[in-house]
Each structure stands twice: as C-alpha cells, then as structure tokens.
Amino acid sequence: MGSKRIWISTEPEDPLKDPSSTSCSTLSLRLSSDEIARLRNQDTKNLLRNKKLYLILDLDHTLLNSTPLTHITPEEEHITGRQDAYEGSLFVLEHMHTMTKLRPFVRTFLKKASEIFEMYIYTMGDRSYAHEMAKILDPNREYFDSRVISRDDGTQRNQKGLDVVLGQENCVLILDDTKKAWTKHKDNLILIDRYHFFASSCQQFGLSCKSLSQLEMDESEGGGALATIIGVLKRIHTIFFQVFCAFSN
C-alpha cells in the first residue's frame, strides 16, 4: 500500500523549547492512505464538535511584510531606529539580516480568528524563517503551537497543498495573497490584497508605485484588509455551522 507524508501537530517534550529547533521527524510522519484518512476524520470530528474550522494563513504580504536590511531605500531610512513609533509592529532581525513589519490589526485578527478556527501558518519561505515569524506573531504559542508549515515541508515544488494539513478539505479555509500557489484548492481560497509596506515588496511584483513606508503611511488599523477579512471569515463560519447543524439533525 502506498504512503504519504502528513504534517501532524505535536507538543514538544519541553514546553519551553524553541519550536524552530524541533526536528522535522517529530512533526512530519509517513503514513498509509488509510491511516491518514482515519486521522483526518477523527481530527475533523473533534474540531467540529467544538464548532471550529481550519484556517490556513500565508505569511508574506498577508500577515506581514519582510525585507532584507540591505534593500532599505534612502526614502525608508526614517523607519530605522524608530521601532517604538510603530507600537511593537516593526522588528529588526539582525541574525537574519531582515526587517519585518506586521500588518495593522494582525494581533486582533489572530485573537478573534482563534476563537472559531484552528490555525496553521503555511509559507513559501524556508523553515527557519517560518518559525522566526511564528515567534513574532505568536510569542506565547497560543494560536499555532507547532502548526507551522514551510516550503521545506511541502510535497510539490512552488505549490502549497492541503495534503500536509491534518483536516478534511471541506472544513478548510485558506487566506493568501497569491492564487497561483493554490491551484488545487481554489474553492478553499480567500484572496487578500497584498501588504506592500517596504519598497522591495513593490519592486518584487513589478509595481511602479511607492510603498507605504516610502509614503510614511500604513494601512488603517480598524479599516484595513485584515479587519475586513475577519468579518468575512465569521460569516462563512456561521453559514457553515447553520448548514452542518441542519444536516446533522
């Protein structure tokens, strides 16, 4: 019988252990198709019992924006050394030679979403970057625990897939800025406008406009993309369980 690899959330033996140091073998198992189906069914049943669904979250341009420190333009130099002005949303990661800006409303978004979803991070970045961003977004490991998937954990090159997520596909929502990353799961995908805080982000996508940092602006905390999307997610959740309960009775 054939086997496939699936990403399984596990608690590290030491609760204070850095999740990025956890070996992949503790989180990724090769199982038979029948065993995967059994685990998916059981996990989904447990989640539905608690009136939750799965939510897969992209990182870059969805929840945050990162840039190499060497790519900071002269017009953006005003943000260096002014982390306090961004109220805990701007991070300089010297060991990664990277600056990261969290999207406005992201912390409130994660708190509200966690009430109705079991959340995964799924990024095309490498594993070390994925775990570093997870520590910034979720320092107390309240939202993701070890459910952090990087390109190193995927089964298809330059693609994201739900085959490494422990959950039935019809109970999964995906929030991402890139449609082409999810060619097999378009029906699950909710597209979000890209967050271009840094100039390098605009350049990456061939945009001639200035970035938010160059304009010395940012998205609205209460009226930006994440604040809007959380309302959409709540409505989908409500409709799903209305239909689910109707069919269950």
Side-chain angles (χ1 to χ4, degrees):
M1 181 180 293
S3 65
K4 289 182 67 178
R5 193 177 69 166
I6 190 168
W7 190 264
I8 295 179
S9 172
T10 61
E11 288 285 350
E13 294 179 4
D14 180 356
L16 298 179
K17 185 177 181 181
D18 181 350
S20 64
S21 65
T22 305
S23 67
C24 183
S25 60
T26 64
L27 301 173
S28 179
L29 301 177
R30 187 167 291 279
L31 302 170
S32 71
S33 296
D34 288 345
E35 183 65 11
I36 289 173
R38 187 190 69 79
L39 288 172
R40 277 206 172 104
N41 287 336
Q42 187 59 51
D43 198 72
T44 302
K45 284 180 181 178
N46 291 339
L47 207 64
L48 293 176
R49 193 176 296 120
N50 292 317
K51 289 197 171 181
K52 284 190 172 186
L53 298 174
Y54 300 93
L55 179 61
I56 314 302
L57 295 168
D58 173 52
L59 285 177
D60 294 285
H61 308 109
T62 297
L63 300 183
L64 50 83
N65 192 200
S66 294
T67 187
L69 292 174
T70 54
H71 290 185
I72 297 291
T73 67
E75 288 179 283
E76 297 176 292
E77 288 181 355
H78 65 91
I79 64 178
T80 60
R82 293 185 56 208
Q83 290 172 261
D84 292 344
Y86 288 91
E87 300 179 341
S89 67
L90 185 66
F91 298 83
V92 177
L93 307 171
E94 296 285 358
H95 63 293
M96 297 181 71
H97 310 290
T98 297
M99 183 178 287
T100 294
K101 173 66 173 61
L102 300 185
R103 196 168 199 164
F105 197 75
V106 67
R107 298 205 184 278
T108 303
F109 171 87
L110 293 176
K111 184 176 186 301
K112 290 179 179 291
S114 69
E115 296 170 359
I116 54 176
F117 293 99
E118 180 168 277
M119 299 186 295
Y120 286 72
I121 284 173
Y122 199 150
T123 176
M124 294 301 281
D126 64 26
R127 187 176 295 127
S128 61
Y129 176 77
H131 283 290
E132 198 68 38
M133 295 302 105
K135 286 192 288 185
I136 290 174
L137 289 165
D138 186 19
N140 299 318
R141 299 185 69 182
E142 300 174 78
Y143 306 131
F144 302 110
D145 191 31
S146 55
R147 296 184 298 274
V148 180
I149 304 173
S150 71
R151 70 181 180 213
D152 302 318
D153 310 302
T155 58
Q156 303 169 71
R157 185 176 177 83
N158 299 323
Q159 280 288 301
K160 296 178 179 180
L162 296 180
D163 56 334
V164 292
V165 173
L166 189 63
Q168 292 184 353
E169 188 172 335
N170 61 354
C171 297
V172 176
L173 291 175
I174 302 163
L175 184 63
D176 203 316
D177 66 283
T178 305
K179 186 176 182 179
K180 66 181 181 181
W182 295 97
T183 55
K184 293 185 178 180
H185 306 289
K186 293 178 181 178
D187 291 342
N188 303 76
L189 177 63
I190 298 173
L191 280 175
I192 188 169
D193 290 339
R194 289 192 175 110
Y195 182 51
H196 295 297
F197 185 77
F198 296 110
S200 64
S201 179
C202 294
Q203 294 163 8
Q204 176 184 346
F205 290 93
L207 302 178
S208 58
C209 60
K210 290 191 175 185
S211 68
L212 292 167
S213 61
Q214 288 174 305
L215 296 171
E216 299 189 35
M217 296 173 57
D218 206 349
E219 283 187 356
S220 166
E221 176 76 17
L226 288 176
T228 301
I229 285 291
I230 191 63
V232 174
L233 293 173
K234 285 182 175 181
R235 288 196 295 274
I236 293 173
H237 177 274
T238 297
I239 293 169
F240 178 94
F241 279 99
Q242 285 175 344
V243 174
F244 177 77
C245 290
F247 276 93
S248 299
N249 293 332

